[in-house]
Amino acid sequence: MEEQFESYRSHLQAMAYRMLGSLTEAEDAVQETWLRLYRSDKSEIENLGGWLTTVTSRICLDMLRSRKARREEFMDESLPENYANSEDRYNPEQEALLADSVGLALLVVLDRLNPAERMAFVLHDIFAVPFSEIAPIVGKSELATRKLASRARQKVRGKETHSQADLDRQRKLVDAFLAAAYAGDFDSLVAVLDPDVVLRDDRETDIRTETRGAFVLAKKVAGRAKAAQVALVDGCIGAIAAPGGKLLYVIQFTIKDGKITEVDLISNSARLEQLDLTILSV
């Protein structure tokens, strides 16, 4: 049974990744599927592939619903001890390959779908699972499931505010900003900033303080971005500081004409809970 399960692992992981947008969470879902298979009555499983797809999908659906309810961020946390030595745990290179295969823009759009819409779209449009098999997973009639997929399809086709090219340009600029800040490279910082750029920072007081001007902002942040890493923030390229998996603050960027015109540093917990965050591979 373990050998049979391993023959489906790659397929299940690819499916779970598109549903969850996180390699670590996808692997958790696949691992939970294996545990359920191990505890199940094998004699009652007529179609192992179908059974595994259904169980993995339901696990992912529960994870999406839980995430939506708790406004979870995609953070790497300390791994449970029994997973620490597994060769199948987080692999940055594998994450990057998966992200490239799915497409960054599609992941952004999928994150805007509600859990049932995302499930119906991924299973039917990407993995060709019949609606008759998807309906029991999402707890809807077959007709209602078709409507879920149709709505998701419209959202996917209609949400083109940030194309892949837009996101690539944003990321290149934000990467340059973070690298220059990390290195304390004043001239490179000024080069990516609009002359009238404004920085808003809520870390010191409840009222956000403002810093205006490229030279003033560059002096303030030079050498002070060591913990920051690139992330999607509400569908745009931004950055987070989350040492050890603990979210300290989020940086949102406004970009116009190839320059950073606004930088918002957010640490207030109430505001952080309202943001949709996705960690991106390096």
Side-chain angles (χ1 to χ4, degrees), residues 22 36 42 74 87 103 107-108 121 127 138 152 162 172 174 186 191 196 210 222 226 248 265 271:
S22 163
R36 294 189 187 185
K42 315 301 187 296
F74 295 134
E87 295 180 356
L107 284 179
V108 174
F121 176 81
F127 291 96
V138 297
H162 299 294
K172 184 177 181 180
V174 171
F186 180 82
D196 298 318
E210 291 191 358
K226 292 180 174 59
L248 297 182
L265 195 152
R271 294 185 64 205

Side-chain angles (χ1 to χ4, degrees), residues 249-277:
Y249 59 82
V250 170
I251 306 174
Q252 288 183 302
F253 296 91
T254 300
I255 297 171
K256 293 181 181 178
D257 299 325
K259 299 285 186 179
I260 296 172
T261 58
E262 297 178 30
V263 181
D264 284 275
L265 195 152
I266 302 167
S267 65
N268 179 276
S269 58
R271 294 185 64 205
L272 289 175
E273 289 177 358
Q274 298 173 3
L275 299 174
D276 289 320
L277 305 178

Side-chain angles (χ1 to χ4, degrees), residues 109 152-161:
V109 175
R153 208 172 292 120
Q154 291 175 1
K155 291 180 181 179
V156 168
R157 291 171 179 169
K159 292 264 188 177
E160 296 181 353
T161 303

Side-chain angles (χ1 to χ4, degrees), residues 94-254:
Q94 188 178 5
E95 179 90 67
L97 290 173
L98 275 171
D100 287 342
S101 69
V102 176
L104 178 57
L106 178 58
L107 284 179
V108 174
V109 175
L110 289 178
D111 202 41
R112 292 291 186 268
L113 306 180
N114 69 45
E117 289 173 341
R118 185 165 181 160
M119 194 68 49
F121 176 81
V122 169
L123 287 175
H124 183 267
D125 285 40
I126 298 180
F127 291 96
V129 177
F131 285 118
S132 59
E133 296 179 17
I134 302 172
I137 296 173
V138 297
K140 303 283 187 181
S141 67
E142 185 173 341
L143 179 59
T145 303
R146 288 180 180 274
K147 290 181 179 179
L148 284 175
S150 178
R151 285 203 303 269
R153 208 172 292 120
Q154 291 175 1
K155 291 180 181 179
V156 168
R157 291 171 179 169
K159 292 264 188 177
E160 296 181 353
T161 303
H162 299 294
S163 66
Q164 184 70 53
D166 289 334
L167 292 169
D168 288 343
R169 283 191 291 269
Q170 290 176 18
R171 181 162 188 174
K172 184 177 181 180
L173 196 62
V174 171
D175 279 340
F177 174 87
L178 295 177
Y182 180 85
D185 188 339
F186 180 82
D187 291 337
S188 295
L189 273 170
V190 172
V192 299
L193 298 172
D194 183 87
D196 298 318
V197 65
V198 58
L199 165 68
R200 304 180 187 91
D201 188 341
D202 71 357
R203 286 178 297 177
E204 298 177 0
T205 64
D206 291 334
I207 301 175
R208 288 184 293 172
T209 58
E210 291 191 358
T211 300
R212 292 184 176 273
F215 289 97
V216 178
L217 191 155
K219 288 180 181 179
K220 184 169 183 141
V221 303
R224 298 183 181 179
K226 292 180 174 59
Q229 65 184 103
V230 68
L232 280 174
V233 181
D234 285 344
C236 296
I237 299 295
I240 67 162
K246 180 178 176 58
L247 182 62
L248 297 182
Y249 59 82
V250 170
I251 306 174
Q252 288 183 302
F253 296 91
T254 300

